[in-house]
Amino acid sequence: MTITVVKAYGFFNCNASKETIEAELPAIRTLVKTPSELELKLIEGTENLKGDSQLMSLAKEAKDSGIKYVLEATYTGATNKQTANETAAVLNQAYQSPLYKKGEQFCGDIIYKDNGNYNFME
């Protein structure tokens, strides 16, 4: 049996530091009940993301529009869409957390690969 590792990427802005976001992630994961198989990696600076040319093009667009962070989600045994849904739950909860001040706007997008192309989550 082959285990497929799938990924989704959450591009987002937050005024908090990388360390502050990373410290808040365990509480966020608990609140949204993310599966233990879901691995999250916070990357500061979209230019620090590694991937294929299509992903790098999207990362450059995100950087050009002022996006600061990427949450790279890896979920063994799930689909890319499921991984994107879990990533969305984490980012939605992050917006409800102390990482964002009341009334502060959330700016972000989640992408995942489907049939060889990256899709934006609706």
Side-chain angles (χ1 to χ4, degrees):
M1 183 175 100
T2 307
I3 294 177
T4 307
V5 176
V6 297
K7 291 189 177 191
Y9 302 89
F11 292 88
F12 69 103
N13 266 342
C14 184
N15 289 324
S17 70
K18 182 177 189 235
E19 293 75 21
T20 303
I21 298 169
E22 286 175 332
E24 193 64 32
L25 277 174
I28 291 168
R29 287 185 66 126
T30 300
L31 285 167
V32 296
K33 299 175 175 60
T34 59
S36 58
E37 298 82 13
L38 183 76
E39 291 180 36
L40 298 175
K41 177 181 170 188
L42 183 65
I43 301 167
E44 186 171 8
T46 60
E47 69 278 2
N48 295 317
L49 182 64
K50 304 284 180 257
D52 60 35
S53 59
Q54 190 183 5
L55 180 61
M56 299 319 299
S57 175
L58 291 166
K60 184 181 181 332
E61 282 180 41
K63 180 182 179 171
D64 292 347
S65 64
I67 296 293
K68 186 174 178 183
Y69 293 107
V70 183
L71 188 62
E72 181 181 64
T74 308
Y75 191 179
T76 306
T79 67
N80 288 340
K81 176 81 170 156
Q82 288 170 316
T83 307
N85 285 333
E86 293 293 346
T87 306
V90 169
L91 288 183
N92 285 336
Q93 186 60 46
Y95 184 61
Q96 308 302 321
S97 78
L99 296 173
Y100 291 88
K101 293 179 179 65
K102 185 175 170 69
E104 191 175 342
Q105 193 173 359
F106 180 81
C107 178
D109 272 312
I110 295 168
I111 61 169
Y112 64 97
K113 211 167 200 175
D114 188 35
N115 295 324
N117 291 308
Y118 284 96
N119 291 328
F120 285 85
M121 255 189 94
E122 299 297 321

